[in-house]
Amino acid sequence: MINCAVIAEFNPFHSGHKKLIDTVRESAADIICVMSGPFVQSAFPAICDKAIRAESAILCGADAVIELPALYATASAKSFAEGALKIITKVRGVTHLAFGVSSDKDCILRIAELRIKKADKFNSLYKSYLKQGKSHNYATRAALTELYRENCGESDPALAFDDPNSILGIEYICAIDKLGANIQPYIITRRGSHLSGAYYSDDFLSATNIRKSLLSNAYSVKNYIPYNYEKVLNFAENHAPDISALKKMALFYVKSLSSEELSELRDCSKGMEFLIKEIAKNNDYDGIIGNEKLKIYGAKRLNRLFLDAVCGIKKEYLDYPFVTRLLACSGKFDFSLLPDFVKTANRDLKLAAEHNSDIRCVLGVDERIAVLYNTLCSTKGDFYNYSLVKA
């Protein structure tokens, strides 16, 4: 038997996630999930509370759910993957990392191998596309496609780059290599078709479509939410995050910060701060994100930069040590598997921050993210208003 990790947002936990865990359970003794907290990689708030999402994973058969610090949960695919692997590599006994993709497994492995073994050539191609004024996403895709065709024949790896899960899968494999981890990728093919970012079949529906339906026609997606449907629905109906308020808040912070302060933020590259300050004079958040002058950066990166401004997320924090918490576990879970920086009590989180200023900075991001989430959802509490969920 293997011990397997799963990295996810569970936003919300749906039938596709159940299929993944059920498949892994066939050969795994322990399943450890690393899950995003209140905010997810899009830099927007999750559709429902992290306790509901974590509990759903445990009800499905996962043994434990560890929170991915907000610094990484809201980061680029590369940092998201590296942050999660920093946790997984320290959990005792984990031998495999399972993830689902809609593209060909062998294609994913070949692309990841090229990224690792031909890093210099990739970086050279990537920079050449950036110099042409192409966006980061375009440059990455074009460089890898060129490498792939040069080394793997004429087959087109396009689907791998159209599938966000495949992109993350490639980053997971690269992170495993970077950290020197003795962990094997366990790639599971997702069922359903891919259409404009939405996966669907008779049995599975994308998280994107489920979130949309929860706010308009919730009953239509009941069969796609196998656990805690009533809890998810209640939260979505009564505490759905106020995205409009978030956008106004983000505009305020970006306008309030100086160019120098913007330059220190996690997703701000050299010179980007001056362009942001110029265009942010506009009061239309969506208009700024879609501005022609900023297209080179991509909407997701701009959303992350605005969240950076709200929550004071600096790029230097990515090099800092961190602590995080166990969100949920089964009754039979062996706590000795956890590394020391994964805490089960709020007092231990606070104590770790008191003794290390770097840890305090990273934990401060989680604290601010939690307050922001509760404000947008009109719910009470803060980061420390949380108790371990056992199911």
Side-chain angles (χ1 to χ4, degrees):
M1 297 289 281
I2 65 175
N3 290 328
C4 198
V6 172
I7 304 168
E9 293 180 333
F10 297 146
N11 185 31
F13 190 97
H14 57 66
S15 52
H17 298 130
K18 183 179 187 303
K19 176 64 176 177
L20 175 66
I21 290 180
D22 286 347
T23 302
V24 172
R25 177 53 71 193
E26 293 175 2
S27 54
D30 289 309
I31 301 175
I32 310 296
C33 298
V34 174
M35 188 191 83
S36 305
F39 273 64
V40 295
Q41 204 201 353
S42 64
F44 284 103
I47 190 66
C48 65
D49 180 77
K50 63 188 180 185
I52 298 172
R53 291 150 50 217
E55 182 182 48
S56 296
I58 300 300
L59 291 172
C60 184
D63 294 283
V65 180
I66 300 170
E67 183 168 7
L68 180 61
L71 172 67
Y72 297 102
T74 62
S76 66
K78 180 177 182 292
S79 294
F80 179 95
E82 289 182 6
L85 262 301
K86 285 178 181 178
I87 296 172
I88 291 166
T89 56
K90 299 301 181 182
V91 176
R92 184 163 61 85
V94 172
T95 57
H96 289 72
L97 171 63
F99 55 90
V101 300
S102 291
S103 46
D104 181 68
K105 297 179 187 179
D106 291 336
C107 180
I108 298 298
L109 291 170
R110 286 194 292 268
I111 293 172
E113 185 179 21
L114 288 171
R115 274 283 301 274
I116 294 166
K117 293 187 176 180
K118 296 187 177 292
D120 291 342
K121 181 66 180 293
F122 166 77
N123 290 330
S124 176
L125 289 169
Y126 170 76
K127 290 176 182 177
S128 71
Y129 283 109
L130 288 183
K131 288 179 181 177
Q132 296 173 32
K134 304 298 185 182
S135 69
H136 160 75
N137 289 340
Y138 181 97
T140 300
R141 176 175 178 154
L144 286 174
T145 299
E146 192 169 332
L147 272 179
Y148 189 92
R149 289 175 178 166
E150 181 181 304
N151 292 273
C152 304
E154 293 299 319
S155 58
D156 190 352
L159 182 57
F161 302 123
D162 291 335
D163 174 21
N165 291 285
S166 296
I167 293 171
L168 273 174
I170 293 166
E171 294 296 350
Y172 293 153
I173 297 169
C174 291
I176 289 171
D177 178 77
K178 180 178 178 178
L179 296 174
N182 188 23
I183 293 175
Q184 298 299 315
Y186 179 6
I187 305 176
I188 298 169
T189 302
R190 292 177 55 161
R191 287 177 55 189
S193 303
H194 178 261
L195 180 63
S196 301
Y199 289 87
Y200 67 92
S201 72
D202 291 339
D203 301 316
F204 305 99
L205 190 67
S206 73
T208 300
N209 282 342
I210 291 173
R211 290 192 297 272
K212 289 178 180 177
S213 296
L214 277 170
L215 300 175
S216 58
N217 184 20
Y219 188 77
S220 68
V221 295
K222 183 175 182 179
N223 291 337
Y224 298 104
I225 302 177
Y227 304 99
N228 284 334
Y229 170 76
E230 296 297 336
K231 288 183 180 181
V232 173
L233 177 61
N234 179 67
F235 198 98
E237 288 184 337
N238 297 295
H239 301 291
D242 188 341
I243 303 301
S244 177
L246 174 62
K247 290 178 178 180
K248 290 178 181 178
M249 197 180 303
L251 272 174
F252 165 75
Y253 274 92
V254 166
K255 289 182 176 186
S256 298
L257 295 177
S258 67
S259 296
E260 183 179 355
E261 289 170 324
L262 282 174
S263 71
E264 297 174 349
L265 298 179
R266 176 186 57 182
D267 271 281
C268 191
S269 56
K270 187 176 181 181
M272 187 179 178
E273 66 273 20
F274 302 111
L275 196 52
I276 290 290
K277 286 298 287 184
E278 175 194 340
I279 296 171
K281 293 174 183 176
N282 186 336
N283 283 319
D284 176 12
Y285 180 96
D286 294 326
I288 294 170
I289 298 298
N291 189 283
E292 194 68 31
K293 293 181 180 179
L294 294 174
K295 278 192 174 180
I296 188 173
Y297 300 113
K300 289 183 179 179
R301 182 176 176 184
L302 293 170
N303 287 327
R304 289 195 295 268
L305 179 62
F306 273 85
L307 183 65
D308 291 351
V310 175
C311 295
I313 308 177
K314 297 184 179 182
K315 53 173 66 80
E316 64 192 67
Y317 294 172
L318 291 167
D319 297 321
Y320 289 1
F322 61 84
V323 292
T324 189
R325 64 153 53 92
L326 181 67
L327 288 171
C329 66
S330 65
K332 64 180 180 62
F333 179 65
D334 180 0
F335 290 90
S336 70
L337 297 177
L338 297 176
D340 182 62
F341 62 83
V342 177
K343 309 297 184 181
T344 57
N346 290 318
R347 64 177 180 276
D348 293 330
L349 288 165
K350 293 177 180 178
L351 190 62
E354 286 177 7
H355 289 87
N356 188 304
S357 60
D358 290 348
I359 288 175
R360 188 159 61 246
C361 287
V362 179
L363 196 61
V365 174
D366 286 299
E367 292 169 351
R368 293 188 290 277
I369 284 280
V371 172
L372 176 60
Y373 187 79
N374 287 328
T375 301
L376 296 173
C377 297
S378 298
T379 50
K380 296 179 180 179
D382 57 22
F383 179 72
Y384 300 105
N385 184 234
Y386 190 90
S387 298
L388 175 64
V389 174
K390 290 187 177 182

